[in-house]
Amino acid sequence: RTIEVLDQRGVADRFLAEGQAMQVQGFATIPLDISDFPTRHNYGLALWQRDFERILAGWTDELGVPVARSTEVTGFEQDDEGVGVELADGRTLRTRFLVGCDGGRSVVRKAAGIGFPGWDPSVRSLIAEVQVAQEPVLGIQRDSAGTHGIGRLPDGHVRVVVREHDALAAGEPTLDDLRRALVAVWGTDFGVHSPRWISRFTDMTRQAEHYRKGRVLLAGDAAHVHYPVGGQGLNIGVQDAVNLGWKLGQVVNGVSPDGLLDTYHAERHPVAARVLQNTMAQTALSRGDDRMDALRESVTELLAMDEPRKRFGAMISGLDVHYDLGDGHPLVGRRMPDLDLHTADGPTRVFELLHDARPLLLDFGRSRAPADASWPAQVDYVAARDGGTWELPVVGAVAAPAAVVIRPDGHVAWAGDLADPDLPPTLARWFGPAPASAD
């Protein structure tokens, strides 16, 4: 889904050019092939996070967004008008809203007094990029402590991920810690030396009680932390930002009241809660004793069946997200499929029409009533003919509606006939009031 939202903004090719498109989805290392999913991006992308961040930062620079790097936030005070952000160098910044995207140890979350309930660590792992004196055993290894792996990097270093047998290990990891962990699993440390970096991570699983408190909001790891199995953390963090960004923009620009921001928690909190649940299940399955091996074999057999594979593949890839936006057409609350379209300006795709991050009313000419101009000013109206089948992951084929309203995050806010009396209040709810009548 992350590749899709980048495609919605017209920048997916930048990331695809530097990564490797491949089937990377899995559940506790059990492969989940999504190549038959109804999406143009029916694959994952193998791309280091540092490269993802670099490409994203380059795009941000092109957009002229001011970024104050190496600027530590130490606290804040908020009032009815805005937030005074305190910096480590003694300066204070004034802003209307503050979004804490500052990780699991979030200063913003703590200063806001937002609870972070969940589960303490039960396992700890080391991850490192090092050089070795002996040829390592490449690939995945599993034992009673869990799942481990060693891979060769293009520059000759190796990347090591190893679960520590000492579940109470804490503090800044050292090369000696890595050596002990390697010996415990492989019987040798492969002569590791010259670490580029070593880090420790755990399966601590927590979620912010609230994603919003007044003028302060949370996104990414500041709002939810979990074991990084399945690579879901970066992805749901990006999708948090995509959900919040357009809403925050409309509120700041006076298009919508700030109550719109409450829908951010309502929509994204359940998504992360589900990720926390599945990562805890995967962490348990990653242990390697005989009983857990038997369970993994049973789960592997289950996930080889078509329906479970599709259900879990859609969950891990984020393609099944469904916001509760009320009853109606099965599209409502789900991602809009990237249909091929024919418009007055020629052929295009749904995602191409979303590049400017504006709401979109797509009229397929099947309504009982003709379109009029009573839409909010920021809603783009496009008349189009669709070519192809309307199909959703897991759900399957759905009836093609007469028209749809697509939010800037690519999720469908309404689907039906233009004569539907629910259309005007739906547009007003999400995108502000329609222009006043000339009468």
Side-chain angles (χ1 to χ4, degrees), residues 1 105 127 148-149 154 165-166 176 211 217 233 290-291 309 338 355 361 365 381 405 411:
R1 178 58 181 156
R105 299 181 179 89
I127 181 170
H148 324 276
H165 282 68
D166 179 8
D176 284 339
Y211 283 14
L217 301 107
D290 291 342
R291 289 178 174 81
R309 170 185 64 84
D338 187 24
H355 284 182
L361 172 55
Y381 170 84
V405 173
H411 283 257

Side-chain angles (χ1 to χ4, degrees), residues 305-343:
M305 301 176 187
D306 228 28
E307 184 174 347
R309 170 185 64 84
K310 290 180 178 179
R311 183 173 296 275
F312 276 66
M315 174 177 66
I316 300 298
S317 65
L319 291 169
D320 71 341
V321 171
H322 179 206
Y323 300 139
D324 183 7
L325 304 186
D327 298 329
H329 193 282
L331 273 171
V332 175
R334 292 186 167 90
R335 51 176 279 288
M336 178 68 183
D338 187 24
L339 302 173
D340 289 310
L341 302 174
H342 300 277
T343 71

Side-chain angles (χ1 to χ4, degrees), residues 110-414:
K110 293 173 182 175
I114 297 174
F116 203 44
W119 295 265
D120 290 332
S122 68
V123 298
R124 286 171 167 80
S125 296
L126 295 174
I127 181 170
E129 290 184 5
V130 294
Q131 294 183 8
V132 292
Q134 308 165 24
E135 184 62 27
V137 178
L138 302 179
I140 300 296
Q141 178 83 7
R142 185 178 291 110
D143 63 12
S144 59
T147 303
H148 324 276
I150 301 178
R152 178 75 67 177
L153 298 174
D155 64 1
H157 283 73
V158 297
R159 173 168 282 202
V160 178
V161 180
V162 57
R163 182 82 60 85
E164 295 180 276
H165 282 68
D166 179 8
L168 299 179
E172 290 299 317
T174 66
L175 186 58
D176 284 339
D177 291 333
L178 181 61
R179 286 172 174 147
R180 283 193 292 271
L182 289 168
V183 170
V185 176
W186 282 278
T188 175
D189 63 11
F190 304 108
V192 292
H193 64 92
S194 307
R196 188 146 55 192
W197 53 264
I198 305 174
S199 183
R200 175 177 279 125
F201 63 94
T202 77
D203 67 334
M204 181 176 71
T205 302
R206 297 185 180 277
Q207 185 176 22
E209 289 181 321
H210 308 286
Y211 283 14
R212 180 190 184 190
K213 189 169 184 179
R215 293 182 171 272
V216 177
L217 301 107
L218 304 174
D221 288 355
H224 39 73
V225 295
H226 53 84
Y227 199 61
V229 62
Q232 298 174 88
L234 181 148
N235 291 279
I236 64 170
V238 168
Q239 292 155 39
D240 286 346
V242 171
N243 183 287
L244 176 60
W246 69 273
K247 297 173 182 177
L248 192 58
Q250 287 189 178
V251 171
V252 168
N253 289 319
V255 172
S256 299
D258 74 2
L260 179 65
L261 298 178
D262 293 333
T263 67
Y264 169 61
H265 171 93
E267 293 175 2
R268 294 303 299 173
H269 193 275
V271 173
R274 193 176 185 212
V275 171
L276 265 58
Q277 183 183 45
N278 83 57
T279 54
M280 287 194 292
Q282 292 186 73
T283 303
L285 277 173
S286 71
R287 296 185 172 93
D289 59 81
D290 291 342
R291 289 178 174 81
M292 201 55 69
D293 286 343
L295 176 59
R296 187 180 301 104
E297 289 179 12
S298 297
V299 174
T300 300
E301 183 178 346
L302 178 69
L303 293 179
M305 301 176 187
D306 228 28
E307 184 174 347
R309 170 185 64 84
K310 290 180 178 179
R311 183 173 296 275
F312 276 66
M315 174 177 66
I316 300 298
S317 65
L319 291 169
D320 71 341
V321 171
H322 179 206
Y323 300 139
D324 183 7
L325 304 186
D327 298 329
H329 193 282
L331 273 171
V332 175
R334 292 186 167 90
R335 51 176 279 288
M336 178 68 183
D338 187 24
L339 302 173
D340 289 310
L341 302 174
H342 300 277
T343 71
D345 295 325
T348 187
R349 300 185 287 124
V350 170
F351 287 4
E352 289 179 350
L353 296 176
L354 294 174
H355 284 182
D356 292 333
R358 288 171 58 83
L360 177 65
L361 172 55
L362 267 179
D363 178 4
F364 297 103
R366 295 188 285 264
S367 292
R368 299 190 307 274
D372 61 30
S374 61
W375 323 124
Q378 65 275 8
V379 175
D380 290 336
Y381 170 84
V382 176
R385 289 183 293 110
D386 57 299
T389 304
W390 292 59
E391 189 175 0
L392 300 173
V394 181
V395 176
V398 298
V404 294
V405 173
I406 308 171
R407 307 188 321 186
D409 59 6
H411 283 257
V412 176
W414 170 91

Side-chain angles (χ1 to χ4, degrees), residues 43-57:
Y43 47 79
L45 186 67
L47 180 70
W48 295 118
Q49 181 172 325
R50 61 173 178 263
D51 293 323
F52 185 94
E53 293 173 353
R54 172 178 51 78
I55 299 167
L56 201 62

